[in-house]
Amino acid sequence: MSDVELTPSAAARVAAIAGKQGKPAILRLSVDGGGCAGFQYKFGLADAVEGDDIVAEHDGVRLVVDAVSLDLVRGSAVDYVENMGGASFRVTNPNAASGCGCGTSFSI
């Protein structure tokens, strides 16, 4: 199993967003303290892969995670889901002991 995984639907969405913005198809996942459950996921397009990044790739789209955040998300999968509540990137994190209703924060 890889350190992190990018699903096909997430890769397609990153490619579409990056194409519209004229940026490389690189999605950065990081973890910050805070959020309603202790830690919070942050997503953003990256201009480049940094030296300490772990990289997962699907269909030419890269997901990058810095070494510090990786300890909290190792084994996770990043997906893109659309439902009645809207569309968003979601992290399936086997390390999270609990999460919150909004799906953007978690605790260990």
Side-chain angles (χ1 to χ4, degrees):
M1 180 181 204
S2 62
D3 287 322
V4 290
E5 181 184 343
L6 187 65
T7 68
S9 64
R13 185 64 182 159
V14 171
I17 294 169
K20 285 181 186 172
Q21 295 185 10
K23 291 189 165 207
I26 304 171
L27 179 66
R28 176 167 298 283
L29 167 61
S30 58
V31 177
D32 282 349
C36 38
F39 294 102
Q40 186 169 344
Y41 301 115
K42 284 183 60 182
F43 292 101
L45 289 181
D47 292 321
V49 176
E50 302 296 328
D52 69 341
D53 285 341
I54 299 301
V55 180
E57 192 166 333
H58 187 85
D59 289 340
V61 175
R62 290 178 284 180
L63 170 67
V64 295
V65 181
D66 65 89
V68 173
S69 296
L70 182 63
D71 286 340
L72 298 168
V73 298
R74 189 179 309 275
S76 294
V78 174
D79 196 9
Y80 180 75
V81 294
E82 295 182 52
N83 56 35
M84 297 279 289
S88 62
F89 289 103
R90 292 282 166 97
V91 179
T92 303
N93 186 346
N95 305 303
S98 65
C100 68
C102 62
T104 61
S105 68
F106 66 101
S107 66
I108 299 290

